[in-house]
Amino acid sequence: MQALGLSWGAAAPCSSSVETQTARTTPVHRGARLLLEAWRAREAQGSFVVGRDVPSRALAKVLPGLALYEPLYAGDFRVRLAGHALRRRFGRDVTGETLSRLMDQAQFAWHTGQMRGLLETGRPLIAEVRIEEEGRLCLCYELVALRVFAPDGRTPWVLSGIFFHDWRL
């Protein structure tokens, strides 16, 4: 698929790719820092709620990098919102998909474990993600995942931002 001169199909890694994450204590990418600062400001005032705090002017610059995940009873997560960054990551629009359909079994188990831990602790997850295929770096981005609350103000969801190092704000 081609959009605005970019070939998304060529950018998305195939199923034989290897993903590695390196935990970080603070984000480096400007967009990741902006997202984390906005989340911390809302958390200091109570909580970050979908529909009230996102979308917002404060996060307008990072909206293309955001994804919103709703936990399902079966242990899976549904992608409720998928910005352009997820289109680049997966090679297509993944809005409405479940993580179990987007990832192989090992990736799914690892990612859902991370997200469940995030929902329990409320501590932000910050990581550098590298996806390689046959020894070639395909994608490199910074991930910030945060516990937020659904529009009802009570149900915890996951808001993540992925910020490619070759995309500037």
Side-chain angles (χ1 to χ4, degrees), residues 54-128:
V54 64
S56 69
R57 283 188 184 202
L59 295 174
K61 288 184 178 182
V62 298
L63 284 177
L66 298 184
L68 186 61
Y69 301 93
E70 175 187 12
L72 303 175
Y73 291 111
D76 208 344
F77 286 83
R78 180 169 312 284
V79 181
R80 295 291 302 253
L81 165 80
H84 291 296
L86 256 68
R87 183 180 297 254
R88 181 177 182 189
R89 165 63 180 91
F90 291 105
R92 62 187 172 85
D93 182 15
V94 295
T95 302
E97 296 280 348
T98 58
L99 285 184
S100 61
R101 292 190 60 197
L102 294 173
M103 301 175 174
D104 65 33
Q105 194 171 12
Q107 285 180 320
F108 171 74
W110 193 84
H111 281 277
T112 56
Q114 292 271 39
M115 292 169 83
R116 295 253 176 243
L118 170 71
L119 291 175
E120 289 175 19
T121 67
R123 282 185 300 229
L125 171 66
I126 305 165
E128 175 81 14

XYZ file of all heavy atoms in Angstrom, residues 54-128:
590
model
N -7.671 12.724 25.968
C -7.208 12.386 24.623
C -8.439 12.104 23.772
O -9.325 11.375 24.229
C -6.240 11.174 24.620
C -6.900 9.902 25.084
C -5.562 11.000 23.278
N -8.592 12.722 22.636
C -7.684 13.682 22.020
C -7.732 15.029 22.738
O -8.746 15.383 23.335
C -8.203 13.800 20.588
C -9.647 13.416 20.658
C -9.772 12.451 21.799
N -6.630 15.741 22.647
C -6.542 17.071 23.230
C -5.504 17.887 22.472
O -4.674 17.327 21.756
C -6.155 16.987 24.711
O -4.814 16.536 24.825
N -5.539 19.184 22.651
C -4.541 20.047 21.999
C -3.133 19.722 22.485
O -2.186 19.783 21.731
C -4.840 21.510 22.262
C -5.954 22.011 21.432
C -6.110 23.490 21.575
N -7.289 23.847 20.804
C -7.519 25.026 20.354
N -6.691 26.003 20.609
N -8.592 25.263 19.644
N -3.012 19.391 23.762
C -1.699 19.087 24.321
C -1.050 17.891 23.625
O 0.170 17.803 23.542
C -1.811 18.820 25.821
N -1.870 16.979 23.102
C -1.348 15.773 22.466
C -1.509 15.770 20.945
O -1.247 14.763 20.302
C -2.034 14.541 23.052
C -1.751 14.280 24.530
C -2.589 13.122 25.039
C -0.274 14.024 24.748
N -1.914 16.892 20.373
C -2.178 16.959 18.929
C -0.984 16.513 18.096
O -1.145 15.802 17.102
C -2.608 18.367 18.531
N 0.218 16.890 18.491
C 1.411 16.546 17.707
C 1.729 15.056 17.727
O 2.382 14.559 16.823
C 2.626 17.310 18.225
C 2.599 18.772 17.892
C 3.875 19.440 18.348
C 3.870 20.897 17.959
N 5.114 21.562 18.352
N 1.291 14.354 18.752
C 1.649 12.935 18.875
C 0.503 11.981 18.530
O 0.690 10.765 18.585
C 2.199 12.606 20.285
C 3.474 13.378 20.553
C 1.167 12.847 21.361
N -0.660 12.496 18.162
C -1.805 11.625 17.852
C -1.483 10.547 16.811
O -1.923 9.405 16.966
C -3.015 12.448 17.415
C -3.771 13.152 18.534
C -4.905 13.992 17.956
C -4.294 12.184 19.567
N -0.701 10.835 15.757
C -0.399 9.769 14.794
C 0.371 8.590 15.393
O 0.347 7.494 14.844
C 0.448 10.473 13.728
C 0.083 11.914 13.842
C -0.199 12.134 15.298
N 1.025 8.793 16.513
C 1.795 7.721 17.135
C 1.045 6.968 18.217
O 1.575 6.008 18.779
N -0.179 7.362 18.518
C -0.902 6.762 19.641
C -1.730 5.549 19.254
O -2.246 5.451 18.148
C -1.822 7.798 20.289
C -1.146 9.024 20.889
C -2.175 9.900 21.583
C -0.024 8.651 21.824
N -1.848 4.650 20.208
C -2.705 3.475 20.078
C -3.387 3.258 21.423
O -2.787 3.476 22.480
C -1.894 2.249 19.703
N -4.613 2.841 21.375
C -5.391 2.605 22.585
C -5.844 1.154 22.583
O -6.405 0.666 21.605
C -6.603 3.535 22.600
C -7.460 3.559 23.833
C -6.657 4.018 25.045
C -8.645 4.485 23.623
N -5.578 0.458 23.701
C -5.884 -0.970 23.817
C -6.875 -1.205 24.946
O -6.653 -0.775 26.073
C -4.617 -1.771 24.114
C -3.552 -1.634 23.062
C -2.553 -0.679 23.182
C -3.546 -2.459 21.951
C -1.570 -0.547 22.219
C -2.566 -2.339 20.983
C -1.582 -1.384 21.122
O -0.612 -1.261 20.167
N -7.928 -1.945 24.629
C -8.931 -2.330 25.619
C -8.695 -3.772 26.031
O -8.649 -4.663 25.188
C -10.325 -2.200 25.004
C -11.423 -2.695 25.900
C -12.771 -2.710 25.204
O -12.839 -2.557 23.968
O -13.774 -2.913 25.917
N -8.509 -4.031 27.344
C -8.341 -5.424 27.777
C -9.642 -6.206 27.606
O -10.723 -5.687 27.871
C -7.974 -5.311 29.256
C -8.031 -3.884 29.610
C -8.423 -3.081 28.428
N -9.513 -7.445 27.154
C -10.668 -8.324 26.992
C -10.628 -9.408 28.052
O -9.569 -9.751 28.564
C -10.663 -8.955 25.594
C -10.652 -7.961 24.424
C -10.515 -8.708 23.100
C -11.896 -7.102 24.430
N -11.772 -9.968 28.369
C -11.849 -10.992 29.414
C -11.024 -12.226 29.089
O -10.554 -12.916 29.974
C -13.302 -11.388 29.670
C -14.092 -10.286 30.325
C -15.085 -9.614 29.639
C -13.812 -9.895 31.633
C -15.789 -8.591 30.230
C -14.512 -8.868 32.225
C -15.499 -8.217 31.529
O -16.190 -7.204 32.125
N -10.829 -12.507 27.824
C -10.095 -13.707 27.413
C -8.584 -13.556 27.551
O -7.847 -14.441 27.159
C -10.455 -14.046 25.971
N -8.113 -12.430 28.083
C -6.677 -12.216 28.234
C -6.046 -11.496 27.058
O -4.853 -11.253 27.036
N -6.850 -11.159 26.077
C -6.377 -10.476 24.885
C -6.615 -8.966 25.033
O -7.190 -8.516 26.019
C -7.139 -11.014 23.663
C -6.354 -10.926 22.380
O -5.356 -10.189 22.338
O -6.747 -11.595 21.402
N -6.172 -8.216 24.055
C -6.394 -6.771 24.012
C -6.902 -6.403 22.626
O -6.385 -6.896 21.632
C -5.088 -6.001 24.270
C -4.643 -6.030 25.697
C -3.934 -7.114 26.190
C -4.928 -4.983 26.556
C -3.514 -7.155 27.502
C -4.514 -5.013 27.874
C -3.812 -6.098 28.353
N -7.921 -5.532 22.569
C -8.447 -5.044 21.294
C -7.881 -3.650 21.034
O -7.855 -2.806 21.916
C -9.965 -4.968 21.311
C -10.530 -4.464 19.962
C -12.026 -4.621 19.829
N -12.522 -5.930 20.194
C -12.420 -7.045 19.444
N -11.800 -7.013 18.300
N -12.929 -8.179 19.863
N -7.441 -3.427 19.798
C -6.936 -2.113 19.393
C -8.149 -1.223 19.130
O -8.896 -1.445 18.184
C -6.058 -2.212 18.124
C -5.525 -0.836 17.744
C -4.936 -3.205 18.322
N -8.359 -0.254 19.996
C -9.501 0.651 19.861
C -9.176 1.851 18.979
O -10.040 2.410 18.335
C -9.936 1.162 21.236
C -10.467 0.109 22.171
C -11.815 -0.430 21.702
N -12.817 0.605 21.575
C -13.840 0.808 22.387
N -14.014 0.021 23.408
N -14.694 1.757 22.172
N -7.935 2.262 18.987
C -7.474 3.412 18.212
C -6.081 3.067 17.713
O -5.259 2.567 18.481
C -7.404 4.664 19.107
C -6.625 5.855 18.588
C -7.488 6.624 17.597
C -6.216 6.765 19.733
N -5.828 3.298 16.448
C -4.507 3.006 15.894
C -4.086 4.150 14.988
O -4.673 4.361 13.934
C -4.530 1.694 15.115
N -3.078 4.881 15.417
C -2.548 5.971 14.614
C -1.712 5.455 13.456
O -1.513 4.250 13.282
N -1.191 6.376 12.663
C -0.389 6.013 11.489
C 0.858 5.214 11.852
O 1.346 4.424 11.056
C 0.006 7.266 10.708
C -1.154 7.922 10.037
N -1.880 7.310 9.048
C -1.721 9.134 10.220
C -2.849 8.116 8.655
N -2.776 9.226 9.350
N 1.378 5.427 13.047
C 2.579 4.688 13.452
C 2.293 3.187 13.515
O 3.153 2.381 13.146
C 3.092 5.198 14.796
N 1.100 2.800 13.956
C 0.767 1.378 13.974
C 0.575 0.832 12.559
O 0.866 -0.329 12.296
C -0.474 1.104 14.826
C -0.129 0.501 16.187
C 0.583 1.477 17.070
C -1.311 -0.110 16.819
N 0.116 1.679 11.670
C 0.011 1.268 10.268
C 1.406 0.949 9.732
O 1.607 -0.029 9.026
C -0.648 2.358 9.431
C -0.849 1.966 7.986
C -1.495 3.093 7.223
N -2.813 3.372 7.739
C -3.943 3.033 7.121
N -3.890 2.391 5.977
N -5.106 3.321 7.650
N 2.383 1.764 10.107
C 3.748 1.486 9.684
C 4.287 0.227 10.364
O 4.943 -0.596 9.746
C 4.645 2.675 9.998
C 6.071 2.452 9.558
C 6.931 3.660 9.811
N 8.288 3.419 9.334
C 9.301 4.224 9.573
N 9.111 5.348 10.240
N 10.500 3.926 9.126
N 4.001 0.064 11.637
C 4.497 -1.082 12.400
C 3.970 -2.404 11.858
O 4.684 -3.382 11.740
C 4.123 -0.898 13.873
C 4.241 -2.121 14.767
C 5.670 -2.613 14.871
N 5.782 -3.769 15.723
C 5.704 -5.038 15.308
N 5.448 -5.318 14.036
N 5.864 -6.033 16.151
N 2.663 -2.438 11.514
C 2.043 -3.690 11.089
C 1.760 -3.765 9.593
O 1.310 -4.797 9.100
C 0.754 -3.945 11.874
C 1.004 -4.246 13.320
C 0.744 -3.299 14.300
C 1.513 -5.476 13.703
C 0.997 -3.578 15.638
C 1.759 -5.764 15.042
C 1.500 -4.808 16.001
N 1.967 -2.678 8.870
C 1.775 -2.687 7.424
C 0.344 -2.507 6.968
O 0.060 -2.606 5.778
N -0.569 -2.244 7.896
C -1.987 -2.048 7.562
C -2.691 -1.413 8.751
O -2.142 -1.356 9.852
C -2.645 -3.367 7.187
C -2.647 -4.377 8.309
C -3.155 -5.736 7.837
N -2.987 -6.759 8.834
C -3.841 -7.013 9.824
N -4.947 -6.316 9.937
N -3.600 -7.975 10.691
N -3.930 -1.000 8.535
C -4.724 -0.447 9.630
C -5.161 -1.601 10.531
O -5.754 -2.571 10.060
C -5.944 0.287 9.077
C -6.788 0.936 10.157
O -6.313 1.070 11.306
O -7.934 1.332 9.858
N -4.860 -1.493 11.815
C -5.172 -2.586 12.745
C -6.282 -2.214 13.732
O -6.523 -2.949 14.683
C -3.907 -3.051 13.504
C -2.904 -3.654 12.536
C -3.288 -1.914 14.303
N -6.967 -1.114 13.486
C -8.070 -0.720 14.353
C -9.107 -1.844 14.402
O -9.510 -2.371 13.375
C -8.728 0.581 13.847
O -7.733 1.600 13.785
C -9.855 1.026 14.760
N -9.508 -2.231 15.605
C -10.493 -3.292 15.792
C -9.896 -4.684 15.915
O -10.580 -5.619 16.319
N -8.639 -4.844 15.583
C -7.971 -6.146 15.669
C -7.644 -6.479 17.126
O -7.599 -5.607 17.981
C -6.670 -6.135 14.871
C -6.849 -5.950 13.393
C -7.236 -7.224 12.668
O -7.147 -8.311 13.266
O -7.619 -7.129 11.504
N -7.358 -7.737 17.380
C -6.866 -8.153 18.688
C -5.374 -8.460 18.564
O -4.900 -8.823 17.481
C -7.603 -9.408 19.202
O -7.441 -10.454 18.245
C -9.073 -9.116 19.457
N -4.660 -8.302 19.673
C -3.220 -8.567 19.646
C -2.920 -10.008 19.250
O -1.936 -10.275 18.572
C -2.582 -8.256 20.986
C -2.380 -6.785 21.323
C -1.651 -6.647 22.652
C -1.632 -6.063 20.229
N -3.772 -10.943 19.649
C -3.535 -12.351 19.322
C -3.548 -12.598 17.817
O -2.911 -13.541 17.345
C -4.568 -13.243 20.009
O -5.872 -12.917 19.577
N -4.230 -11.760 17.056
C -4.256 -11.908 15.598
C -3.107 -11.171 14.933
O -2.788 -11.441 13.784
C -5.580 -11.396 15.043
C -6.743 -12.294 15.458
C -8.002 -11.951 14.748
N -7.814 -12.091 13.303
C -8.629 -11.553 12.414
N -9.678 -10.865 12.805
N -8.400 -11.702 11.128
N -2.483 -10.235 15.650
C -1.412 -9.424 15.065
C -0.022 -9.988 15.308
O 0.926 -9.627 14.618
C -1.463 -8.001 15.636
C -2.683 -7.172 15.278
C -2.675 -5.858 16.040
C -2.733 -6.930 13.777
N 0.106 -10.874 16.295
C 1.425 -11.345 16.711
C 1.453 -12.863 16.774
O 0.416 -13.499 16.941
C 1.748 -10.797 18.104
C 1.753 -9.313 18.173
S 1.997 -8.757 19.868
C 2.134 -7.019 19.582
N 2.669 -13.409 16.682
C 2.786 -14.841 16.885
C 2.620 -15.129 18.378
O 2.560 -14.214 19.193
C 4.108 -15.394 16.329
C 5.346 -14.870 17.047
O 5.299 -14.619 18.270
O 6.389 -14.739 16.383
N 2.543 -16.382 18.740
C 2.205 -16.770 20.105
C 3.211 -16.254 21.135
O 2.824 -15.774 22.200
C 2.093 -18.293 20.195
C 1.442 -18.767 21.458
C 1.156 -20.263 21.414
O 1.628 -20.983 20.539
N 0.372 -20.723 22.371
N 4.496 -16.316 20.825
C 5.522 -15.860 21.774
C 5.452 -14.338 21.967
O 5.510 -13.852 23.096
C 6.911 -16.272 21.291
N 5.326 -13.596 20.867
C 5.210 -12.139 20.968
C 3.951 -11.751 21.737
O 3.980 -10.857 22.577
C 5.154 -11.493 19.582
C 6.448 -11.428 18.855
C 6.264 -10.771 17.493
O 5.270 -11.012 16.807
N 7.220 -9.951 17.114
N 2.853 -12.435 21.425
C 1.590 -12.148 22.094
C 1.710 -12.348 23.597
O 1.306 -11.495 24.386
C 0.475 -13.040 21.521
C -0.807 -12.961 22.286
C -1.618 -11.847 22.193
C -1.199 -14.002 23.118
C -2.809 -11.767 22.905
C -2.379 -13.943 23.827
C -3.192 -12.809 23.723
N 2.275 -13.471 24.020
C 2.426 -13.755 25.450
C 3.297 -12.697 26.123
O 2.969 -12.218 27.217
C 3.020 -15.147 25.654
N 4.373 -12.320 25.484
C 5.278 -11.331 26.073
C 4.603 -9.968 26.178
O 4.628 -9.332 27.232
C 6.560 -11.236 25.235
C 7.629 -10.494 25.953
C 8.502 -11.003 26.862
C 7.923 -9.105 25.845
N 9.329 -10.002 27.323
C 8.991 -8.830 26.708
C 7.385 -8.070 25.091
C 9.530 -7.563 26.850
C 7.926 -6.803 25.223
C 8.986 -6.570 26.097
N 3.977 -9.502 25.081
C 3.336 -8.184 25.078
C 2.159 -8.108 26.047
O 2.012 -7.117 26.766
C 2.893 -7.805 23.663
C 3.996 -7.296 22.811
N 4.429 -5.996 22.851
C 4.776 -7.927 21.905
C 5.425 -5.834 21.999
N 5.657 -6.992 21.416
N 1.322 -9.132 26.063
C 0.173 -9.077 26.973
C 0.625 -9.154 28.430
O 0.004 -8.540 29.294
C -0.859 -10.173 26.661
O -0.232 -11.449 26.702
C -1.517 -9.937 25.315
N 1.700 -9.879 28.695
C 2.253 -9.905 30.054
C 2.714 -8.525 30.489
O 2.443 -8.093 31.618
N 3.387 -7.837 29.583
C 3.831 -6.466 29.877
C 2.632 -5.547 30.130
O 2.634 -4.741 31.055
C 4.643 -5.903 28.695
C 5.959 -6.573 28.495
C 7.040 -5.886 29.319
O 6.831 -5.468 30.444
N 8.205 -5.785 28.726
N 1.611 -5.666 29.285
C 0.450 -4.789 29.403
C -0.351 -5.088 30.675
O -0.834 -4.169 31.333
C -0.412 -4.894 28.145
C 0.300 -4.312 26.919
S -0.510 -4.676 25.366
C -1.756 -3.409 25.314
N -0.499 -6.367 31.019
C -1.213 -6.713 32.263
C -0.467 -6.171 33.483
O -1.066 -5.666 34.418
C -1.389 -8.225 32.374
C -2.279 -8.778 31.306
C -3.624 -9.186 31.853
N -4.445 -9.624 30.744
C -5.569 -9.011 30.379
N -5.994 -7.975 31.035
N -6.265 -9.443 29.361
N 0.862 -6.275 33.462
C 1.670 -5.710 34.546
C 1.501 -4.211 34.647
O 1.387 -3.657 35.744
N 1.452 -3.554 33.514
C 1.240 -2.111 33.475
C -0.119 -1.739 34.067
O -0.234 -0.785 34.845
C 1.333 -1.627 32.026
C 0.924 -0.195 31.737
C 1.951 0.773 32.296
C 0.760 0.007 30.248
N -1.152 -2.512 33.735
C -2.485 -2.230 34.271
C -2.521 -2.405 35.785
O -3.232 -1.677 36.478
C -3.533 -3.129 33.607
C -3.823 -2.837 32.135
C -4.786 -3.872 31.582
C -4.376 -1.439 31.952
N -1.774 -3.368 36.297
C -1.756 -3.610 37.745
C -0.973 -2.550 38.502
O -1.424 -2.073 39.539
C -1.159 -4.992 38.035
C -2.051 -6.136 37.634
C -1.378 -7.483 37.832
O -0.382 -7.569 38.595
O -1.839 -8.458 37.215
N 0.202 -2.194 38.012
C 1.082 -1.274 38.751
C 0.836 0.196 38.446
O 1.070 1.043 39.302
C 2.564 -1.569 38.453
O 2.843 -1.256 37.080
C 2.905 -3.019 38.742
N 0.418 0.490 37.215
C 0.239 1.877 36.815
C 1.545 2.576 36.457
O 1.539 3.748 36.092
N 2.666 1.857 36.543
C 3.971 2.447 36.194
C 4.154 2.452 34.684
O 3.952 1.416 34.035
C 5.099 1.671 36.841
C 5.275 1.982 38.310
C 6.483 1.268 38.832
N 6.264 -0.166 38.633
C 6.446 -1.079 39.559
N 6.907 -0.762 40.721
N 6.192 -2.345 39.307
N 4.571 3.574 34.127
C 4.791 3.647 32.676
C 5.844 2.646 32.209
O 6.805 2.350 32.925
C 5.294 5.075 32.461
C 4.857 5.834 33.657
C 4.835 4.854 34.784
N 5.639 2.152 31.009
C 6.600 1.271 30.360
C 7.263 2.093 29.257
O 6.577 2.646 28.395
C 5.886 0.065 29.756
C 6.705 -0.846 28.849
C 7.802 -1.540 29.656
C 5.820 -1.860 28.171
N 8.579 2.185 29.308
C 9.337 2.937 28.308
C 10.409 1.998 27.763
O 11.155 1.399 28.533
C 9.988 4.190 28.926
C 8.930 5.058 29.607
C 10.759 4.977 27.875
C 9.489 6.115 30.529
N 10.479 1.889 26.447
C 11.438 0.961 25.851
C 11.846 1.405 24.455
O 11.088 2.070 23.754
C 10.844 -0.441 25.778
N 13.034 1.005 24.081
C 13.523 1.135 22.719
C 13.225 -0.194 22.034
O 13.576 -1.257 22.569
C 15.036 1.383 22.731
C 15.672 1.411 21.377
C 15.511 2.744 20.679
O 15.142 3.731 21.335
O 15.749 2.785 19.469
